[in-house]
mmCIF file of all heavy atoms in Angstrom:
data_model
loop_
_atom_site.group_PDB
_atom_site.id
_atom_site.type_symbol
_atom_site.label_atom_id
_atom_site.label_comp_id
_atom_site.label_asym_id
_atom_site.label_seq_id
_atom_site.Cartn_x
_atom_site.Cartn_y
_atom_site.Cartn_z
ATOM 1 N N LYS A 91 9.885 -178.431 118.556
ATOM 2 C CA LYS A 91 9.475 -178.121 117.150
ATOM 3 C C LYS A 91 8.426 -176.956 117.225
ATOM 4 O O LYS A 91 8.568 -176.018 116.371
ATOM 5 C CB LYS A 91 8.892 -179.375 116.512
ATOM 6 C CG LYS A 91 8.494 -179.160 115.064
ATOM 7 C CD LYS A 91 7.996 -180.446 114.457
ATOM 8 C CE LYS A 91 7.809 -180.202 113.038
ATOM 9 N NZ LYS A 91 7.201 -181.421 112.287
ATOM 10 N N ILE A 92 7.526 -177.021 118.023
ATOM 11 C CA ILE A 92 6.538 -175.984 118.237
ATOM 12 C C ILE A 92 7.209 -174.541 118.558
ATOM 13 O O ILE A 92 6.843 -173.614 118.082
ATOM 14 C CB ILE A 92 5.493 -176.327 119.396
ATOM 15 C CG1 ILE A 92 4.741 -177.647 118.963
ATOM 16 C CG2 ILE A 92 4.563 -175.189 119.712
ATOM 17 C CD1 ILE A 92 3.598 -177.517 118.200
ATOM 18 N N ALA A 93 8.190 -174.687 119.566
ATOM 19 C CA ALA A 93 8.927 -173.405 119.966
ATOM 20 C C ALA A 93 9.691 -172.843 118.676
ATOM 21 O O ALA A 93 9.551 -171.608 118.546
ATOM 22 C CB ALA A 93 9.881 -173.646 121.008
ATOM 23 N N VAL A 94 10.308 -173.718 117.936
ATOM 24 C CA VAL A 94 11.023 -173.091 116.689
ATOM 25 C C VAL A 94 10.061 -172.624 115.803
ATOM 26 O O VAL A 94 10.235 -171.391 115.210
ATOM 27 C CB VAL A 94 11.884 -174.285 116.147
ATOM 28 C CG1 VAL A 94 12.513 -173.740 114.753
ATOM 29 C CG2 VAL A 94 13.016 -174.509 117.060
ATOM 30 N N ALA A 95 8.922 -173.295 115.515
ATOM 31 C CA ALA A 95 7.939 -172.701 114.455
ATOM 32 C C ALA A 95 7.317 -171.498 115.119
ATOM 33 O O ALA A 95 6.995 -170.550 114.334
ATOM 34 C CB ALA A 95 6.845 -173.784 114.344
ATOM 35 N N SER A 96 7.122 -171.523 116.493
ATOM 36 C CA SER A 96 6.568 -170.196 117.038
ATOM 37 C C SER A 96 7.442 -168.971 116.887
ATOM 38 O O SER A 96 6.967 -167.947 116.683
ATOM 39 C CB SER A 96 6.372 -170.594 118.572
ATOM 40 O OG SER A 96 5.820 -169.390 119.263
ATOM 41 N N VAL A 97 8.766 -169.207 117.096
ATOM 42 C CA VAL A 97 9.769 -167.945 117.007
ATOM 43 C C VAL A 97 9.731 -167.581 115.615
ATOM 44 O O VAL A 97 9.621 -166.285 115.426
ATOM 45 C CB VAL A 97 11.122 -168.550 117.458
ATOM 46 C CG1 VAL A 97 12.070 -167.439 117.115
ATOM 47 C CG2 VAL A 97 11.192 -168.815 118.972
ATOM 48 N N VAL A 98 9.818 -168.453 114.627
ATOM 49 C CA VAL A 98 9.813 -167.965 113.271
ATOM 50 C C VAL A 98 8.553 -167.243 112.837
ATOM 51 O O VAL A 98 8.512 -166.115 112.331
ATOM 52 C CB VAL A 98 10.028 -169.102 112.315
ATOM 53 C CG1 VAL A 98 9.965 -168.745 110.778
ATOM 54 C CG2 VAL A 98 11.475 -169.683 112.497
ATOM 55 N N ALA A 99 7.357 -167.915 113.112
ATOM 56 C CA ALA A 99 6.098 -167.400 112.777
ATOM 57 C C ALA A 99 5.775 -166.172 113.487
ATOM 58 O O ALA A 99 5.322 -165.090 113.054
ATOM 59 C CB ALA A 99 4.978 -168.427 112.981
ATOM 60 N N PHE A 100 6.154 -166.118 114.890
ATOM 61 C CA PHE A 100 5.820 -165.002 115.657
ATOM 62 C C PHE A 100 6.698 -163.782 115.263
ATOM 63 O O PHE A 100 6.248 -162.566 115.132
ATOM 64 C CB PHE A 100 6.089 -165.284 117.182
ATOM 65 C CG PHE A 100 5.311 -164.518 118.052
ATOM 66 C CD1 PHE A 100 3.935 -164.427 117.917
ATOM 67 C CD2 PHE A 100 5.910 -163.766 119.087
ATOM 68 C CE1 PHE A 100 3.239 -163.763 118.876
ATOM 69 C CE2 PHE A 100 5.165 -163.058 119.916
ATOM 70 C CZ PHE A 100 3.808 -162.884 119.800
ATOM 71 N N THR A 101 7.943 -163.927 114.895
ATOM 72 C CA THR A 101 8.961 -162.923 114.512
ATOM 73 C C THR A 101 8.460 -162.296 113.277
ATOM 74 O O THR A 101 8.351 -160.987 113.039
ATOM 75 C CB THR A 101 10.256 -163.464 114.259
ATOM 76 O OG1 THR A 101 10.811 -163.961 115.641
ATOM 77 C CG2 THR A 101 11.192 -162.322 114.015
ATOM 78 N N VAL A 102 8.010 -163.098 112.247
ATOM 79 C CA VAL A 102 7.500 -162.550 111.075
ATOM 80 C C VAL A 102 6.165 -161.872 111.182
ATOM 81 O O VAL A 102 6.014 -160.748 110.759
ATOM 82 C CB VAL A 102 7.381 -163.705 109.964
ATOM 83 C CG1 VAL A 102 6.702 -163.039 108.734
ATOM 84 C CG2 VAL A 102 8.838 -164.275 109.537
ATOM 85 N N SER A 103 5.286 -162.600 111.895
ATOM 86 C CA SER A 103 3.926 -161.831 112.071
ATOM 87 C C SER A 103 3.844 -160.681 112.982
ATOM 88 O O SER A 103 3.167 -159.543 112.750
ATOM 89 C CB SER A 103 2.895 -162.889 112.684
ATOM 90 O OG SER A 103 3.207 -163.323 113.886
ATOM 91 N N GLU A 104 4.782 -160.605 114.056
ATOM 92 C CA GLU A 104 4.933 -159.511 114.849
ATOM 93 C C GLU A 104 5.567 -158.310 114.237
ATOM 94 O O GLU A 104 5.239 -157.132 114.474
ATOM 95 C CB GLU A 104 5.534 -159.930 116.176
ATOM 96 C CG GLU A 104 4.823 -160.800 117.094
ATOM 97 C CD GLU A 104 3.390 -160.348 117.439
ATOM 98 O OE1 GLU A 104 3.394 -159.215 118.200
ATOM 99 O OE2 GLU A 104 2.352 -160.772 117.058
ATOM 100 N N THR A 105 6.484 -158.661 113.402
ATOM 101 C CA THR A 105 7.124 -157.596 112.576
ATOM 102 C C THR A 105 6.198 -156.929 111.684
ATOM 103 O O THR A 105 6.029 -155.667 111.610
ATOM 104 C CB THR A 105 8.351 -158.148 111.786
ATOM 105 O OG1 THR A 105 9.320 -158.750 112.746
ATOM 106 C CG2 THR A 105 9.012 -157.009 110.953
ATOM 107 N N LEU A 106 5.306 -157.767 110.999
ATOM 108 C CA LEU A 106 4.397 -157.327 110.124
ATOM 109 C C LEU A 106 3.304 -156.477 110.964
ATOM 110 O O LEU A 106 2.779 -155.485 110.597
ATOM 111 C CB LEU A 106 3.589 -158.380 109.332
ATOM 112 C CG LEU A 106 2.670 -157.988 108.341
ATOM 113 C CD1 LEU A 106 3.083 -157.030 107.200
ATOM 114 C CD2 LEU A 106 1.966 -159.194 107.603
ATOM 115 N N GLU A 107 2.881 -156.995 112.010
ATOM 116 C CA GLU A 107 1.968 -156.301 113.019
ATOM 117 C C GLU A 107 2.429 -155.011 113.334
ATOM 118 O O GLU A 107 1.661 -154.047 113.472
ATOM 119 C CB GLU A 107 1.673 -157.228 114.223
ATOM 120 C CG GLU A 107 0.609 -156.687 115.017
ATOM 121 C CD GLU A 107 0.190 -157.525 116.291
ATOM 122 O OE1 GLU A 107 0.497 -158.748 116.226
ATOM 123 O OE2 GLU A 107 -0.352 -157.017 117.205
ATOM 124 N N ALA A 108 3.634 -154.839 113.739
ATOM 125 C CA ALA A 108 4.376 -153.651 114.149
ATOM 126 C C ALA A 108 4.322 -152.583 112.993
ATOM 127 O O ALA A 108 4.057 -151.363 113.122
ATOM 128 C CB ALA A 108 5.781 -153.828 114.516
ATOM 129 N N VAL A 109 4.461 -153.064 111.689
ATOM 130 C CA VAL A 109 4.455 -152.139 110.544
ATOM 131 C C VAL A 109 2.929 -151.642 110.386
ATOM 132 O O VAL A 109 2.836 -150.475 110.035
ATOM 133 C CB VAL A 109 4.790 -152.990 109.267
ATOM 134 C CG1 VAL A 109 4.539 -152.203 107.943
ATOM 135 C CG2 VAL A 109 6.297 -153.294 109.401
ATOM 136 N N VAL A 110 1.949 -152.582 110.689
ATOM 137 C CA VAL A 110 0.623 -152.044 110.543
ATOM 138 C C VAL A 110 0.214 -151.193 111.691
ATOM 139 O O VAL A 110 -0.359 -150.014 111.601
ATOM 140 C CB VAL A 110 -0.309 -153.215 110.498
ATOM 141 C CG1 VAL A 110 -1.840 -152.803 110.541
ATOM 142 C CG2 VAL A 110 -0.121 -153.954 109.251
ATOM 143 N N PHE A 111 0.660 -151.552 112.985
ATOM 144 C CA PHE A 111 0.236 -150.836 114.265
ATOM 145 C C PHE A 111 0.949 -149.501 114.338
ATOM 146 O O PHE A 111 0.276 -148.489 114.670
ATOM 147 C CB PHE A 111 0.699 -151.654 115.464
ATOM 148 C CG PHE A 111 0.346 -150.909 116.698
ATOM 149 C CD1 PHE A 111 -0.823 -151.004 117.315
ATOM 150 C CD2 PHE A 111 1.502 -150.375 117.448
ATOM 151 C CE1 PHE A 111 -1.086 -150.427 118.467
ATOM 152 C CE2 PHE A 111 1.252 -149.754 118.493
ATOM 153 C CZ PHE A 111 0.003 -149.818 119.179
ATOM 154 N N THR A 112 2.151 -149.336 113.989
ATOM 155 C CA THR A 112 3.002 -148.129 114.264
ATOM 156 C C THR A 112 2.285 -146.952 113.681
ATOM 157 O O THR A 112 2.117 -145.905 114.459
ATOM 158 C CB THR A 112 4.402 -148.311 113.846
ATOM 159 O OG1 THR A 112 4.979 -149.381 114.547
ATOM 160 C CG2 THR A 112 5.258 -147.128 114.163
ATOM 161 N N PRO A 113 1.971 -146.828 112.471
ATOM 162 C CA PRO A 113 1.340 -145.555 111.877
ATOM 163 C C PRO A 113 -0.048 -145.292 112.419
ATOM 164 O O PRO A 113 -0.490 -144.119 112.280
ATOM 165 C CB PRO A 113 1.365 -145.714 110.393
ATOM 166 C CG PRO A 113 1.481 -147.252 110.124
ATOM 167 C CD PRO A 113 2.134 -147.708 111.360
ATOM 168 N N LEU A 114 -0.696 -146.322 112.980
ATOM 169 C CA LEU A 114 -2.001 -146.143 113.436
ATOM 170 C C LEU A 114 -2.152 -145.889 114.906
ATOM 171 O O LEU A 114 -3.295 -145.949 115.423
ATOM 172 C CB LEU A 114 -2.934 -147.291 113.011
ATOM 173 C CG LEU A 114 -3.025 -147.620 111.587
ATOM 174 C CD1 LEU A 114 -3.735 -148.959 111.262
ATOM 175 C CD2 LEU A 114 -3.700 -146.428 110.784
ATOM 176 N N ARG A 115 -1.043 -146.007 115.741
ATOM 177 C CA ARG A 115 -0.991 -146.092 117.149
ATOM 178 C C ARG A 115 -1.725 -145.091 117.838
ATOM 179 O O ARG A 115 -2.184 -145.275 119.046
ATOM 180 C CB ARG A 115 0.412 -146.329 117.606
ATOM 181 C CG ARG A 115 1.257 -145.120 117.548
ATOM 182 C CD ARG A 115 2.693 -145.416 118.115
ATOM 183 N NE ARG A 115 3.581 -144.427 117.868
ATOM 184 C CZ ARG A 115 4.367 -144.175 116.799
ATOM 185 N NH1 ARG A 115 4.091 -144.986 115.682
ATOM 186 N NH2 ARG A 115 5.011 -143.184 116.661
ATOM 187 N N ASN A 116 -1.863 -143.901 117.275
ATOM 188 C CA ASN A 116 -2.710 -142.723 117.935
ATOM 189 C C ASN A 116 -4.163 -143.068 118.014
ATOM 190 O O ASN A 116 -4.849 -142.445 118.763
ATOM 191 C CB ASN A 116 -2.387 -141.446 117.193
ATOM 192 C CG ASN A 116 -1.095 -141.050 117.408
ATOM 193 O OD1 ASN A 116 -0.415 -141.371 118.463
ATOM 194 N ND2 ASN A 116 -0.465 -140.189 116.555
#
Side-chain angles (χ1 to χ4, degrees):
K91 184 176 181 182
I92 299 274
V94 170
S96 177
V97 169
V98 172
F100 206 59
T101 301
V102 172
S103 67
E104 290 302 294
T105 301
L106 182 58
E107 186 177 338
V109 168
V110 173
F111 176 80
T112 301
L114 302 173
R115 68 183 175 272
N116 291 335

